[in-house]
């Protein structure tokens, strides 16, 4: 299995830390990553596991989904001072990004479930290359779900598939079949063979009109909507079962700072 942390830290320090070498840093130290704003934690435990593999002791860290306030310590470790300085910036950046995703997801879930307690907020495959394993964990830490982990775990017949494959016949699969129709006519045509129908870029008014008619044709059909802005979630939430959205991946990093001291 790829060790992504090895890549992250190698990218930032492929040889030696020139600043630490110049200052002749030696001995043991303690590192604390502290938040300057409220949020939801994600992936601190993954970082802690890596620190432990590098003979650094993870003293304290928040768990996935655990809320924090401004001034709270998200992650704390001690060990070789030179290694702590080497890991400092990437660790802070990593956690500020993953906690931002969890925080944004939690906000969207809260917003949507006020209108529909059973709504699923599911994120897409539009993760940043090399970060998917952690970004998906961050979404779940925020109470969201994953629309598709990869091409290998689910079936989605997109508009591009329909352009190439042409008319669909009878489909059978061990996995749920999700279809993204190009037109309203196709939505009605394929409602009976779909487990999930993704209504992309339709307005709330269009979904409100179309959705009940599709469920008459297939009462077990789950309706999903994609291609919407986060601000529109409350409008769509009462009308669908699933909202597919990529916005959590692009949340602004949370404002974290790091303190290192000699012990």
């Amino acid at each position: 299995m790829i060790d992504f942390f090895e890549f992250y830290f190698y990218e930032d320090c492929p040889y030696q830390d020139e600043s630490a070498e110049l200052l002749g840093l030696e001995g043991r130290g303690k590192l604390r990553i502290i938040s300057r704003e409220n949020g939801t934690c994600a992936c601190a435990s993954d970082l802690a596991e890596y620190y432990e593999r590098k003979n650094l002791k993870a003293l304290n860290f928040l768990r996935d989904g655990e809320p924090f306030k401004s001034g709270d310590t998200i992650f704390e470790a001690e060990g070789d001072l030179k290694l702590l300085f080497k890991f400092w910036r990437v660790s802070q950046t990593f956690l500020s990004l993953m906690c931002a995703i969890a925080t944004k997801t939690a906000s969207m879930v809260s917003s949507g479930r006020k209108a529909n307690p059973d709504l699923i907020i599911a994120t897409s495959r539009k993760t940043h290359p090399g970060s998917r394993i952690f970004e998906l964990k961050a979404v779940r830490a925020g109470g969201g779900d994953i629309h598709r982990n990869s091409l290998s775990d689910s079936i989605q017949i997109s508009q591009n598939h329909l352009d190439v494959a042409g008319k669909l016949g009878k489909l059978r699969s061990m996995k749920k079949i999700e279809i993204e129709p190009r037109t309203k006519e196709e939505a009605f045509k394929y409602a009976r063979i779909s487990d999930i129908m993704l209504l992309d870029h339709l307005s709330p008014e269009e979904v409100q009109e179309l959705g009940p008619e599709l469920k008459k044709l297939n009462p077990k059909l789950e309706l999903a909507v994609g291609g919407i802005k986060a601000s529109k979630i409350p409008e769509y939430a009462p009308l669908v079962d699933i909202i597919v959205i990529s916005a959590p991946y692009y949340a602004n990093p949370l404002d974290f700072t790091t303190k290192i001291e000699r012990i």
Side-chain angles (χ1 to χ4, degrees):
M1 181 178 177
I2 298 171
D3 191 326
F4 289 103
F5 285 118
E6 284 288 331
F7 171 72
Y8 299 156
F9 290 113
Y10 176 80
E11 182 180 50
D12 195 52
C13 187
Y15 303 110
Q16 61 274 326
D17 179 348
E18 292 291 350
S19 303
E21 293 295 329
L22 177 64
L23 296 173
L25 296 182
E26 301 288 347
R28 292 179 61 79
K30 179 183 291 187
L31 171 150
R32 288 186 301 130
I33 299 176
I34 303 162
S35 179
R36 292 191 175 112
E37 53 187 315
N38 301 343
T40 300
C41 189
C43 300
S45 60
D46 298 279
L47 186 63
E49 288 177 8
Y50 182 78
Y51 269 54
E52 293 284 349
R53 294 202 302 272
K54 295 298 179 179
N55 296 316
L56 295 168
K57 185 173 179 59
L59 300 173
N60 182 43
F61 54 90
L62 300 185
R63 302 293 177 179
D64 283 358
E66 193 170 349
F68 55 82
K69 303 185 297 295
S70 176
D72 285 352
T73 296
I74 309 300
F75 182 87
E76 184 177 16
E78 68 176 25
D80 181 75
L81 196 57
K82 190 180 293 186
L83 200 52
L84 291 177
F85 271 93
K86 179 179 177 180
F87 286 0
W88 153 35
R89 179 62 69 187
V90 172
S91 298
Q92 176 184 309
T93 302
F94 171 79
L95 289 179
S96 72
L97 291 168
M98 297 308 132
C99 293
I101 292 171
T103 302
K104 186 73 171 177
T105 303
S107 174
M108 291 181 181
V109 170
S110 175
S111 173
R113 288 185 179 168
K114 287 177 183 177
N116 178 0
D118 296 321
L119 180 71
I120 295 175
I121 297 291
T123 53
S124 70
R125 286 169 37 237
K126 296 177 185 177
T127 54
H128 296 88
S131 299
R132 182 173 298 189
I133 188 172
F134 299 119
E135 292 185 355
L136 298 185
K137 288 189 70 173
V139 166
R140 286 212 163 102
D145 210 333
I146 311 304
H147 180 227
R148 305 180 76 198
N149 289 333
S150 71
L151 292 173
S152 303
D153 64 53
S154 60
I155 294 170
Q156 182 191 2
I157 300 173
S158 68
Q159 294 183 5
N160 280 327
H161 286 111
L162 292 172
D163 287 341
V164 174
K167 182 179 177 181
L168 300 180
K170 185 177 180 180
L171 301 175
R172 298 187 67 213
S173 173
M174 292 292 292
K175 302 179 185 298
K176 285 187 176 182
I177 296 172
E178 179 175 354
I179 297 178
E180 178 192 2
R182 294 169 292 184
T183 64
K184 291 181 182 179
E185 290 72 25
E186 278 191 343
F188 286 114
K189 184 176 182 179
Y190 296 135
R192 288 188 177 89
I193 63 170
S194 301
D195 297 300
I196 302 170
M197 184 158 284
L198 178 60
L199 304 174
D200 211 25
H201 296 286
L202 294 188
S203 69
E205 293 75 21
E206 289 173 312
V207 174
Q208 188 171 26
E209 178 184 353
L210 186 61
E213 295 302 316
L214 294 174
K215 290 208 172 192
K216 284 181 184 178
L217 295 173
N218 180 359
K220 294 182 179 180
L221 180 67
E222 292 183 284
L223 294 178
V225 66
I228 72 168
K229 294 182 179 179
S231 60
K232 295 289 187 179
I233 286 175
E235 295 181 46
Y236 284 93
L239 310 175
V240 296
D241 305 292
I242 304 161
I243 290 178
V244 180
I245 196 162
S246 304
Y249 301 138
Y250 311 111
N252 290 330
L254 296 185
D255 187 6
F256 288 178
T257 188
T258 300
K259 302 293 183 184
I260 301 176
E261 60 186 33
R262 187 185 294 277
I263 57 174

